[in-house]
């Protein structure tokens, strides 16, 4: 891929590799399902018809190549591998429509509506296709290896992406949030701004360990994991990420989750758990703001998503819970932010706020971030504040903080995991009663009293 002049870096190469792998994975899965259907005496409905299936045009290493291959992939009309004329590959895939609504054909069409083939050398493209053809997606061992490789590629893309790095939340933060939220099989999990699917992959793997029967697996595959991602590139990457980790038909909406009027969200739209890192500081169009109460319409995307999350988690008797990454501004801004925080503490149980140090989200943001944990079991009576500090061993280094080259490690969050179910005040933990929060104008900007007293001393 590096030899192709149409690709300018990892931000071009990874999406290219992703759509090629996506079609190979899909065909391997369809071959497996077709065999299972035949053995069971059932009729199989394929998602992609000949000659557009991977096996029809890609498996022969000496198959179509050069300009003919580029034409077949890119053009609205082209000469097909069977010699006939018809829609090109991407044109065909974009035109697929589900037979029953919401099936795999709709997912494929949505994926390819936002996908562009940027390779211009058909001989190099054939070389890449031949390499991918050697991957056996039916092998669980190869899938596991490929899933790990794909995650490392996503990290590298984040590092190359600059401000596009919003696609990626550090894996230790994701693992911690999923661990303490503790999803259980049968619960529904949503990430309304899922990026490349990190939270959903971690939640899927957490639930997979609880599967004991075929019925358990069906619940996991069809009724557990949901997401939303409006940008075409992360949408494609999330689909592939989830497929590679074992979710056969990812239920990711390609629409902006904020397009729903929140007053119209009812019980049928609610979920048990929301895990998310919504975009910070973005600006939404006027039409989106109209979906929110007139006194809580704001340009800060994180505050809009927070309101959506508050509306989307299930109410009692089956109270839902949420874990959300928010920037420092959400903690202390006045006006609309304060009104949202007031609603959060009076209508929800905001039980824990974890304050992360700067550098955790390097390289794409040096903004200090916080993790909010709340549920609908009761109103807030007080908030546990936890300050995760850079470990002492790091503080003795020349640059005593988290950086892109020295990121947060999951093991460094182990003391916090141990504290979670055995809560007590210590040098990094303090408790603030709801009365003090109200007196402070519903600000969450409470600093570590131990650290403040040592500074004063």
């Amino acid at each position: 891929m590096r030899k192709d002049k149409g690709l300018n870096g990892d931000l071009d190469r990874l999406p290219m590799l992703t759509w090629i792998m996506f079609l190979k994975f899909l065909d391997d899965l369809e071959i497996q399902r077709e065999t299972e259907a035949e053995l069971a005496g059932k009729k199989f409905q394929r998602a992609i018809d000949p000659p557009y299936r991977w096996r029809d045009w890609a498996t022969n290493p000496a198959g179509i190549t050069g300009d003919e291959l580029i034409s077949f992939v890119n053009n609205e009309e082209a000469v097909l591998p069977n010699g006939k004329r018809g829609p090109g590959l991407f044109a065909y895939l974009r035109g697929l429509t589900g037979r029953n609504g919401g099936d795999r054909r709709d997912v494929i069409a949505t994926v390819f509506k936002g996908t562009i083939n940027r390779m211009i050398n058909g001989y190099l493209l054939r070389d890449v296709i031949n390499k991918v053809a050697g991957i056996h997606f039916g092998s669980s061992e190869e899938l596991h290896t490929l899933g790990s490789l794909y995650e490392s590629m996503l990290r590298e893309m984040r590092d190359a992406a600059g401000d596009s790095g919003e696609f990626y939340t550090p894996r230790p933060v994701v693992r911690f949030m999923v661990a303490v939220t503790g999803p259980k099989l049968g619960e529904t999990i949503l990430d309304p701004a899922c990026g490349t699917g990190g939270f959903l992959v971690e939640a899927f793997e957490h639930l997979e360990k609880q599967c004991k029967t075929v019925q358990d697996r069906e619940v996991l595959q069809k009724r557990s994991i949901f997401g939303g991602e409006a940008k075409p590139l992360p949408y494609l990457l999330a689909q592939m990420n989830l497929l590679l980790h074992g979710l056969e038909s990812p239920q990711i909406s390609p629409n902006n989750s904020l397009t729903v009027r929140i007053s119209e969200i009812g019980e049928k739209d609610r979920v048990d758990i929301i895990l998310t890192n919504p975009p910070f500081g973005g600006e939404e169009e006027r039409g989106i703001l109209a979906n929110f109460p007139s006194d809580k319409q704001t340009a800060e995307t994180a505050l809009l998503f927070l309101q959506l999350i508050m509306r989307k988690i299930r109410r009692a008797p089956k109270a839902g819970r949420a874990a959300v990454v928010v920037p420092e501004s959400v903690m202390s801004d006045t006006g609309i932010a304060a009104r949202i925080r007031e609603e959060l503490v009076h209508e929800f149980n905001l039980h824990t706020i974890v304050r992360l140090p700067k550098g955790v989200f390097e390289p794409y943001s040096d903004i200090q971030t916080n993790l909010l944990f709340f549920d609908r079991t009761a109103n807030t009576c007080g908030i546990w504040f936890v300050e995760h500090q850079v470990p002492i061993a790091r503080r003795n280094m020349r640059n005593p903080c988290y950086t892109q080259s020295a990121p947060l490690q999951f093991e460094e969050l182990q003391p916090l995991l141990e504290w979670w179910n055995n809560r007590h005040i210590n040098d990094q933990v303090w408790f603030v009663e709801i009365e003090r929060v109200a007196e402070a104008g519903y600000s969450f900007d409470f600093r570590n009293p131990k650290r403040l007293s040592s500074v004063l001393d």
Side-chain angles (χ1 to χ4, degrees), residues 27-187:
D27 199 46
D28 283 4
L29 191 64
E30 293 246 299
I31 290 170
Q32 185 180 331
R33 292 290 175 268
E34 195 168 0
T35 304
E36 289 170 359
E38 284 176 9
L39 291 171
K42 295 178 181 176
K43 188 177 179 182
F44 176 74
Q45 283 197 328
R46 58 187 171 227
I48 298 176
D49 295 316
Y52 298 100
R53 300 172 304 179
W54 176 272
R55 71 195 91 161
D56 301 318
W57 62 272
T59 50
N60 180 2
I64 57 170
T65 188
D67 292 343
E68 186 185 357
L69 178 57
I70 296 294
S71 171
F72 168 64
V73 171
N74 289 354
N75 290 0
E76 287 296 313
E77 187 178 321
V79 177
L80 307 182
N82 59 9
K84 298 179 181 179
R85 291 194 69 83
L89 178 65
F90 276 24
Y92 167 80
L93 295 173
R94 288 169 184 150
L96 289 173
T97 52
R99 297 181 177 93
N100 304 310
D103 70 10
R104 202 188 297 274
R105 291 165 70 93
D106 291 316
V107 171
I108 297 165
T110 305
V111 163
F112 283 91
K113 278 187 176 77
T115 302
I116 300 169
N117 170 42
R118 297 188 184 279
M119 287 190 77
I120 57 178
N121 186 317
Y123 298 101
L124 292 174
L125 178 56
R126 166 50 68 182
D127 287 344
V128 174
I129 287 166
N130 289 349
K131 292 279 188 191
V132 172
I135 300 171
H136 302 290
F137 285 104
S139 161
S140 59
E141 189 176 329
E142 285 206 21
L143 266 182
H144 179 76
T145 303
L146 203 57
S148 301
L149 171 65
Y150 195 76
E151 282 193 357
S152 71
M153 290 162 65
L154 289 178
R155 280 197 297 275
E156 287 173 18
M157 194 182 89
R158 172 205 66 175
D159 296 345
D163 61 1
S164 297
E166 63 191 287
F167 306 159
Y168 187 84
T169 305
R171 187 64 182 269
V173 175
V174 173
R175 283 185 65 191
F176 171 76
M177 291 170 69
V178 171
V180 297
T181 307
K184 295 179 178 60
L185 193 64
E187 292 185 313

Side-chain angles (χ1 to χ4, degrees), residues 177-206:
M177 291 170 69
V178 171
V180 297
T181 307
K184 295 179 178 60
L185 193 64
E187 292 185 313
T188 48
I189 296 109
L190 169 70
D191 182 347
C194 71
T196 54
F199 281 103
L200 300 181
V201 164
E202 189 67 29
F204 176 84
E205 292 185 335
H206 181 92

Side-chain angles (χ1 to χ4, degrees), residues 345 350-353 380-385 430-432 437 444:
V345 296
L350 175 65
H351 52 82
T352 312
I353 295 177
T380 306
C381 61
I383 305 170
W384 288 95
F385 283 84
W430 62 104
F431 185 80
V432 179
V437 176
F444 297 159

